[in-house]
């Protein structure tokens, strides 16, 4: 306001003008309680402390300013006081008027200073009718805090895309300095407004200050416990152990440091989801414990479990009071579905929606290895009996004790050798992963086995389980090998009950592998170093930054929250998944075998013997098992991503030499290998990043892991595992042996024994509450083939290629629907009558069991 009056008096208003529009969100829209911020900002406006912008030339350098782009005069956002902010989380548009200065000419960047009291979220700046250039658009998508919070000015660039060598000379220093700011200097405490991306070990999972039993090893930085790096938070060390970072109190979980622009967006329900997680742990867990202690801590029958979805009464008392005190009204319905009657109710998981008992069939048990929650582990059996890769010097003989007699009568007339030759035998093998830890795991409340499940491919394309081997470490020591017992299918009597338990132990193994390895390690943890390295080494102007950026949305934030309340010592994962306090340590040992290039879907399928190279087949691969829904849908999506990445990269990199000589790209790849995945820096399998093909392959893998692989192992959690007997996460008793009271109980009440063996009541409530939250899409989710900023680049060819990618994904959706309706493909729907939709690209918000978000965002 003041600036307009001064302009009128001085005659400045008569000069040639460039009119612009700034779109932003004020803080008070995002924080209903911060009305004081809104008032103070208005006061600052009245006394001339507004929001100023200066254009920076892309064509004229300023010799007095180190040949950086010439900077124009300040212009101020107009009508801040009179622009009414919508009370929903909406954007406001503000006018800004710049004096046209021929010495500036074409702007390539602008500097913004926020002289207000509080921050705002800057979306875009659009200039109209710039002389000689017309419309110029800047995509910002960043929080801008008051200027006194920053050591250097905030600079934003136009939506042009250019390699470092193609950067206009006057903008080069701005481009370089912005990257220096994002790297920080590795010292000092990081504050809420900081934008620093830096690396740290996983040294913040333990809490030795609380109790020595909560101490955990540091993951990363050692040969014994290698691990991908996480984002540095700069908290001081714990008092008890200088190598362990101190922890935030639980109630402060949402304040854990991540660079400001990596925090959850305001609309995204993740803010609400994060709160729900916190509420769950902080307020409901102690009350659940009290509730479960006042009634026996067991489900007595499957009906008790079904009641969770039909509504069960929470007694009046501390639990209901805590819920009402601590959870905002609008969340109450979502989180605990409480009505006036205090009825507690979970949504019915898809796996029991159509048929309450089909989950128990052998056919469904086997189908879920191909079209379930963890379809990334089953492999072709290539030797019989199955062999172990564990070192016999340390572990003795760990080869399988499954014999020809166990299975040969069930191979539809084939011999074992013929079945192997015809590629009809498959295995789900958890033995080697678990055995080194099993002795220690079984000292906790968990009582479990290392399992191998062998399956046969029938003529109708479905799998049938032939045998489950359950193994324990030898009581006299590891070097004496395994003590194993083999179980074969039975339907009736006590043998039928024992077979159901054997499947449950195999499912427990698979649940732990899924949650810790397929899900946490192989998507969340391995992607975070790529997020950090990209922001530190690739400018926002860089084509590869623009390509990958949507696939990193919210990952650092959800991972930071996970370290705070899920995967930490005593956290939800240790409480609800069988490896207990060894969970994260085990994932570190498995990371020793992680190979970046094997994360590509074709390489993974070939590696597991599930596909063979065939130049005549679609995608150059022939599946060994035609009706493998995850692989069939996945290969279509992999191929679409690869084509899009190839179209995009080939536009900017015409030759291999351009890749070699791209200084930012080479710094990015070097840092990613040597810092981000530093414990793997000497591995021979890293791409050298010398050719366009290596760049295309690398970016395709990154996008695949962050989007499709994560969707495949995340959004089916509630649909498949929300009914915990189908995917139990813990076993608490060993298999009943003949001649024991437990065996007699199994004869008389098999349901009760089954439920007493798997996850207890409290862990079930906690576990399904958690996976319900993690399986939901937020209402503003951005899916594969979509962008939240339409004008993300100025270049028409990449924009057209991206539209083509979107159309291809729409075709894939139609193909998935057709395949799900085709009765020849029996693994796509199965006995539970649940179509496989986890790789259907789009979705609405909520609990849908479909949709591929761009990033690991929950």
């Amino acid at each position: 306001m003041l600036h307009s009056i001064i302009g009128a008096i001085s005659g400045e208003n008569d000069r040639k003008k460039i009119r612009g529009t700034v779109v932003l969100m004020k803080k008070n829209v995002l924080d209903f309680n911060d009305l004081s911020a809104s008032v103070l900002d208005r006061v600052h406006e009245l006394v001339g402390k507004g929001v100023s912008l200066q254009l920076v030339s892309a064509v004229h350098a300023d010799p007095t300013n180190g040949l950086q782009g010439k900077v124009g005069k300040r212009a101020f956002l107009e009508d801040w006081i009179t622009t009414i902010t919508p009370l929903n989380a909406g954007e406001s548009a503000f006018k800004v008027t710049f004096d046209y200065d021929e010495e500036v000419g074409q702007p390539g960047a602008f500097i913004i200073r926020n002289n207000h009291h509080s921050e705002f979220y800057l979306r875009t700046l659009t200039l109209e009718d710039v002389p000689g250039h017309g419309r110029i658009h800047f995509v910002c998508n960043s929080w801008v805090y008051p200027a006194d919070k920053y050591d250097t000015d905030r600079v934003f660039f136009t939506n042009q895309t250019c390699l470092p060598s193609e950067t206009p000379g006057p903008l080069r220093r701005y481009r370089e300095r912005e990257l220096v700011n994002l790297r920080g200097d590795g010292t000092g405490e990081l504050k809420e407004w900081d934008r620093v991306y830096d690396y740290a070990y996983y040294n913040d999972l333990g809490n030795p200050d609380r109790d020595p039993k909560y101490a955990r090893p540091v993951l990363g930085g050692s040969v014994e416990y290698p691990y991908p790096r996480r984002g540095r938070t700069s908290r001081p060390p714990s008092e008890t152990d200088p190598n362990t970072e101190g922890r935030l109190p639980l109630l402060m979980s949402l304040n854990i440091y991540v660079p400001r622009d990596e925090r959850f967006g305001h609309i995204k329900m993740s803010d609400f989801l994060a709160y729900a997680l916190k509420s769950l742990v902080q307020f409901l867990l102690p009350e659940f414990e009290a509730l479960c202690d006042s009634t026996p801590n067991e489900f007595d029958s499957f009906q008790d479990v079904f009641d969770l979805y039909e509504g069960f009464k929470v007694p009046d008392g501390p639990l209901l009071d805590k819920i009402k005190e601590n959870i905002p009204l609008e969340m109450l319905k979502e989180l605990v579905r409480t009505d006036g009657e205090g009825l507690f109710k979970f949504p019915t998981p898809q796996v029991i929606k159509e048929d309450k008992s089909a989950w128990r069939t052998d056919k469904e048990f086997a189908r879920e290895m191909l079209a379930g929650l963890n379809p990334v582990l089953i492999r072709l059996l290539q030797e019989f009996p199955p062999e172990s890769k564990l070192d016999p010097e340390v572990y003795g003989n760990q080869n399988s004790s499954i014999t020809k007699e166990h299975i040969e009568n069930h191979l539809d007339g084939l011999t074992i050798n013929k079945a192997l030759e015809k590629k009809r035998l498959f295995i789900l093998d958890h033995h080697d992963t678990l055995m080194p830890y099993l002795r220690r795991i079984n000292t906790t409340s968990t009582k479990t086995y290392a399992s191998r499940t062998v399956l046969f491919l029938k003529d109708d394309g479905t799998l049938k389980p032939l045998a489950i081997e359950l193994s324990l470490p030898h009581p006299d020591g590891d070097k004496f090998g395994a003590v194993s017992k083999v179980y074969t299918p039975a339907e009736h009597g006590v043998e039928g009950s024992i077979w159901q338990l054997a499947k449950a132990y195999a499912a427990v193994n698979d649940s732990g592998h899924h949650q810790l390895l397929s899900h946490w390690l192989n998507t969340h943890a391995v992607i975070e170093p790529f997020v950090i390295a990209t922001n530190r080494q690739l400018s926002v102007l860089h084509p590869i930054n623009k390509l990958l950026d949507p696939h990193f949305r919210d990952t650092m934030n959800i991972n930071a929250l996970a370290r705070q309340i899920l995967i930490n010592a005593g956290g939800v994962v240790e409480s609800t998944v069988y490896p207990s306090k060894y969970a994260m340590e085990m994932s570190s040992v498995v990371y020793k075998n992680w190979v970046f290039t094997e994360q590509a879907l074709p390489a993974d399928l070939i590696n597991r013997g599930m596909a063979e190279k065939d130049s005549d087949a679609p995608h150059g691969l022939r599946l060994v098992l035609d009706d493998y829904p995850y692989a069939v849908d996945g290969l279509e999506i992999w191929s679409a991503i690869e084509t899009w990445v190839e179209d995009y990269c080939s536009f900017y990199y015409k030759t291999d030499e351009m890749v070699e000589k791209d200084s930012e790209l080479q710094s990015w790849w070097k840092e990613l290998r040597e810092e981000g995945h530093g414990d793997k820096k000497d591995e021979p399998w890293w791409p050298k990043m010398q050719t366009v093909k290596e760049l295309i392959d690398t970016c395709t893998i990154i996008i695949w892991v962050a989007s499709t692989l994560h969707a495949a192992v995340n959004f089916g959690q509630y649909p498949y595992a929300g009914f915990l007997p189908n995917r139990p996460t813990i076993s608490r008793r060993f298999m009943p042996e003949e001649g024991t009271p437990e065996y007699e109980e199994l004869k008389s009440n098999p349901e009760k024994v089954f439920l007493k063996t798997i996850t207890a009541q409290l862990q079930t409530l906690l576990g399904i509450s958690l996976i319900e939250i993690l399986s939901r899409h937020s209402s503003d989710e951005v899916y594969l083939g979509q962008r939240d900023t339409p004008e993300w680049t100025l270049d028409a060819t990449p924009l057209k290629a991206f539209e083509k990618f979107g159309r291809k994904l729409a075709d894939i959706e139609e193909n998935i629907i057709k395949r799900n309706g085709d009765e020849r493909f029996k693994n796509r729907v199965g006995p539970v009558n649940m179509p496989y939709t986890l790789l259907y690209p789009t979705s609405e918000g909520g609990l849908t069991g479909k949709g591929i978000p761009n990033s690991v965002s929950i």
Side-chain angles (χ1 to χ4, degrees), residues 537-735:
Q537 299 296 345
L538 296 179
S539 161
V540 292
L541 292 165
H542 198 286
I544 302 304
N545 181 307
K546 287 186 192 286
L547 173 68
L548 296 179
D549 180 66
H551 303 289
F552 298 152
R553 180 189 190 208
D554 294 341
T555 302
M556 288 186 77
N557 203 158
I558 194 66
N559 285 3
L561 271 171
R563 297 196 314 274
Q564 184 64 16
I565 53 186
L566 295 183
I567 59 173
N568 58 305
V572 178
V573 167
E574 285 195 1
S575 310
T576 60
V577 181
Y578 72 84
S580 188
K581 68 179 187 176
Y582 300 106
M584 290 300 288
E585 190 181 319
M586 236 175 83
S587 75
S588 154
V589 172
V590 171
Y591 175 65
K592 290 177 181 179
N593 298 319
W594 181 81
V595 176
F596 174 70
T597 48
E598 288 177 6
Q599 308 311 301
L601 179 62
D604 167 55
L605 292 170
I606 290 167
N607 210 23
R608 291 189 282 123
M610 301 301 285
E612 295 168 340
K613 285 186 178 172
D614 180 347
S615 54
D616 296 331
H619 324 296
L621 280 191
R622 187 171 51 76
L623 290 173
V624 168
L625 204 163
D626 291 336
D627 185 13
Y628 182 1
Y630 162 73
V632 173
D633 297 358
L635 282 169
E636 287 197 352
I637 291 163
W638 168 270
S639 189
I641 294 170
E642 188 176 46
T643 302
W644 149 237
V645 171
E646 186 175 354
D647 289 348
Y648 182 86
C649 291
S650 306
F651 178 77
Y652 294 103
Y653 295 92
K654 305 295 186 199
T655 64
D656 292 342
E657 188 184 18
M658 290 178 76
V659 172
E660 275 183 71
K661 292 199 166 163
D662 181 338
S663 56
E664 285 182 10
L665 187 75
Q666 294 303 327
S667 298
W668 169 70
W669 194 239
K670 182 176 193 290
E671 180 173 290
L672 188 280
R673 294 189 330 267
E674 295 180 3
E675 298 279 341
H677 282 280
D679 299 330
K680 295 258 173 195
K681 65 176 182 285
D682 298 323
E683 297 284 5
W685 40 253
W686 285 109
K688 301 283 183 281
M689 204 53 75
Q690 299 295 299
T691 65
V692 180
K693 184 175 186 325
E694 285 179 322
L695 176 61
I696 291 166
D697 291 348
T698 296
C699 292
T700 304
I701 292 171
I702 294 168
I703 294 171
W704 163 262
V705 171
S707 61
T708 319
L709 181 60
H710 179 256
V713 296
N714 185 74
F715 293 101
Q717 289 187 88
Y718 196 82
Y720 287 98
F723 180 66
L724 223 68
N726 186 49
R727 298 279 304 172
T729 55
I730 292 175
S731 52
R732 298 172 288 145
R733 309 188 341 172
F734 291 123
M735 183 72 87

Side-chain angles (χ1 to χ4, degrees), residues 23-26 29 84-86 88-93 121 123 266:
V23 176
L24 58 76
M25 279 178 286
K26 295 182 181 181
V29 175
I84 303 302
T85 307
N88 61 353
E91 297 165 349
S92 306
Y121 187 74
R123 183 73 79 192
H266 63 290

Side-chain angles (χ1 to χ4, degrees), residues 91 126 133 175 199 238 293 318 333 338 376 380 388 405 450 516 524 560 589 599 612 617 688 724 736 745 822:
E91 297 165 349
T126 308
H133 300 284
R175 176 174 181 151
Y199 302 98
S238 67
D293 286 347
K333 283 186 236 141
T338 177
V376 295
L380 183 70
S388 170
E405 286 71 32
L516 295 169
H524 285 259
V589 172
Q599 308 311 301
E612 295 168 340
K688 301 283 183 281
L724 223 68
E745 189 183 16
D822 189 330

Side-chain angles (χ1 to χ4, degrees), residues 1-252:
M1 187 183 281
L2 194 63
H3 315 293
S4 310
I5 296 165
I6 292 167
I9 295 167
S10 64
E12 279 190 14
N13 293 356
D14 302 333
R15 290 186 193 160
K16 198 187 252 186
K17 306 291 182 190
I18 298 176
R19 307 207 180 275
T21 304
V22 169
V23 176
L24 58 76
M25 279 178 286
K26 295 182 181 181
K27 186 191 177 194
N28 64 301
V29 175
L30 314 179
D31 186 348
F32 294 117
N33 304 322
D34 203 350
L35 291 174
S36 61
S38 176
V39 172
L40 278 166
D41 288 346
R42 289 168 183 228
V43 170
H44 284 211
E45 276 287 322
L46 285 169
V47 297
K49 288 186 172 179
V51 175
S52 72
L53 292 86
Q54 292 170 280
L55 299 178
V56 178
S57 176
V59 287
H60 300 304
D62 182 349
T64 66
N65 190 19
L67 293 177
Q68 295 185 101
K70 183 95 177 159
V71 178
K73 280 194 174 161
R74 282 181 192 196
F76 288 82
L77 292 192
E78 296 161 19
D79 303 324
W80 183 280
I81 296 173
T82 54
T83 300
I84 303 302
T85 307
L87 263 180
N88 61 353
E91 297 165 349
S92 306
F94 294 88
K95 296 291 172 208
V96 59
T97 308
F98 298 92
D99 288 336
Y100 177 65
D101 182 345
E102 285 183 6
E103 288 190 10
V104 171
Q106 180 189 353
F110 71 92
I111 293 167
I112 187 164
R113 286 180 70 84
N114 174 7
N115 299 305
H116 283 171
H117 163 77
S118 53
E119 68 272 23
F120 53 79
Y121 187 74
L122 181 62
R123 183 73 79 192
T124 56
L125 163 66
T126 308
L127 304 178
E128 305 294 348
D129 303 324
V130 177
H133 300 284
R135 183 175 179 277
I136 295 180
H137 188 65
F138 300 78
V139 175
C140 308
N141 289 336
S142 182
W143 284 93
V144 178
Y145 274 71
D148 62 3
K149 303 291 187 203
Y150 299 119
D151 294 332
T152 54
D153 286 327
R154 293 297 311 273
V155 176
F156 294 94
F157 299 93
T158 63
N159 63 339
Q160 74 177 108
T161 305
C162 56
L163 299 175
S165 59
E166 299 163 347
T167 312
L171 296 180
R172 207 160 278 171
R173 289 275 297 281
Y174 287 102
R175 176 174 181 151
E176 290 164 3
R177 197 168 62 209
E178 178 67 359
L179 285 173
V180 169
N181 291 339
L182 290 169
R183 286 178 211 136
D185 61 6
T187 64
E189 187 187 348
L190 295 167
K191 305 284 193 191
E192 173 196 324
W193 48 83
D194 280 321
R195 303 162 58 234
V196 170
Y197 293 79
D198 205 353
Y199 302 98
Y201 301 137
Y202 276 73
N203 64 346
D204 62 342
L205 302 177
N207 191 356
D209 290 352
R210 179 179 168 194
D211 190 293
K213 72 178 183 185
Y214 293 114
R216 295 291 179 270
V218 173
L219 304 184
S222 68
V223 175
E224 189 180 7
Y225 298 123
Y227 220 62
R229 303 297 184 257
R230 63 170 176 91
R232 181 171 83 90
T233 53
S234 78
R235 296 195 301 269
S238 67
E239 290 172 17
T240 321
D241 175 9
N243 294 320
T244 297
E245 189 169 276
R247 289 186 58 78
L248 286 177
L250 204 58
L251 281 170
M252 303 285 285

